Short mmCIF file of all heavy atoms in Angstrom, two decimals:
data_model
loop_
_atom_site.label_atom_id
_atom_site.label_comp_id
_atom_site.label_asym_id
_atom_site.label_seq_id
_atom_site.Cartn_x
_atom_site.Cartn_y
_atom_site.Cartn_z
N VAL A 26 117.47 89.42 99.67
CA VAL A 26 117.50 88.40 100.73
C VAL A 26 116.25 87.53 100.64
O VAL A 26 116.31 86.31 100.84
CB VAL A 26 117.60 89.05 102.11
CG1 VAL A 26 117.44 88.01 103.21
CG2 VAL A 26 118.96 89.74 102.27
N GLU A 51 109.06 98.58 91.68
CA GLU A 51 110.16 99.53 91.49
C GLU A 51 109.85 100.52 90.37
O GLU A 51 110.28 101.67 90.39
CB GLU A 51 111.48 98.81 91.20
CG GLU A 51 112.69 99.75 91.12
CD GLU A 51 113.96 99.11 91.58
OE1 GLU A 51 113.92 98.17 92.36
OE2 GLU A 51 114.99 99.59 91.16
N VAL A 55 110.30 104.58 90.27
CA VAL A 55 111.02 105.28 89.18
C VAL A 55 110.16 106.40 88.63
O VAL A 55 110.59 107.50 88.38
CB VAL A 55 111.42 104.32 88.05
CG1 VAL A 55 112.03 105.07 86.89
CG2 VAL A 55 112.42 103.27 88.56
N ALA A 58 110.11 109.16 91.04
CA ALA A 58 111.38 109.87 90.97
C ALA A 58 111.47 110.77 89.74
O ALA A 58 112.00 111.89 89.81
CB ALA A 58 112.55 108.88 90.95
N PHE A 61 108.76 113.72 90.42
CA PHE A 61 108.85 114.63 91.59
C PHE A 61 110.27 114.66 92.16
O PHE A 61 110.42 114.96 93.35
CB PHE A 61 107.89 114.12 92.69
CG PHE A 61 106.46 114.01 92.25
CD1 PHE A 61 105.92 112.80 91.89
CD2 PHE A 61 105.64 115.14 92.16
CE1 PHE A 61 104.60 112.70 91.48
CE2 PHE A 61 104.34 115.05 91.76
CZ PHE A 61 103.80 113.85 91.42
N LYS A 95 115.34 84.52 115.07
CA LYS A 95 114.06 83.95 114.62
C LYS A 95 113.84 82.58 115.28
O LYS A 95 114.78 81.81 115.42
CB LYS A 95 114.10 83.75 113.09
CG LYS A 95 114.12 85.02 112.29
CD LYS A 95 114.18 84.71 110.82
CE LYS A 95 114.23 85.96 109.97
NZ LYS A 95 114.30 85.67 108.52
N ASP A 100 117.59 73.43 108.95
CA ASP A 100 118.03 72.26 108.20
C ASP A 100 119.50 72.00 108.47
O ASP A 100 120.11 72.61 109.35
CB ASP A 100 117.76 72.46 106.70
CG ASP A 100 118.52 73.66 106.11
OD1 ASP A 100 119.42 74.20 106.80
OD2 ASP A 100 118.21 74.06 104.97
N TYR A 112 101.73 86.85 109.95
CA TYR A 112 100.95 87.18 108.76
C TYR A 112 101.40 86.26 107.62
O TYR A 112 102.58 86.02 107.44
CB TYR A 112 101.15 88.62 108.38
CG TYR A 112 100.82 89.60 109.47
CD1 TYR A 112 101.85 90.18 110.21
CD2 TYR A 112 99.52 89.92 109.77
CE1 TYR A 112 101.57 91.07 111.24
CE2 TYR A 112 99.23 90.80 110.81
CZ TYR A 112 100.27 91.37 111.54
OH TYR A 112 99.96 92.25 112.55
N ILE A 181 124.30 77.61 95.15
CA ILE A 181 125.75 77.53 95.12
C ILE A 181 126.30 78.21 96.38
O ILE A 181 127.18 77.69 97.05
CB ILE A 181 126.31 78.24 93.89
CG1 ILE A 181 125.86 77.53 92.61
CG2 ILE A 181 127.84 78.30 93.95
CD1 ILE A 181 126.26 78.19 91.33
N LEU A 200 125.86 97.43 107.53
CA LEU A 200 125.90 98.50 106.53
C LEU A 200 124.89 99.59 106.83
O LEU A 200 125.20 100.80 106.72
CB LEU A 200 125.66 97.93 105.12
CG LEU A 200 126.76 97.05 104.56
CD1 LEU A 200 126.32 96.45 103.22
CD2 LEU A 200 128.05 97.83 104.36
#
Side-chain angles (χ1 to χ4, degrees):
V26 172
E51 185 148 336
V55 175
F61 304 99
K95 294 180 180 178
D100 62 12
Y112 304 102
I181 298 175
L200 290 175

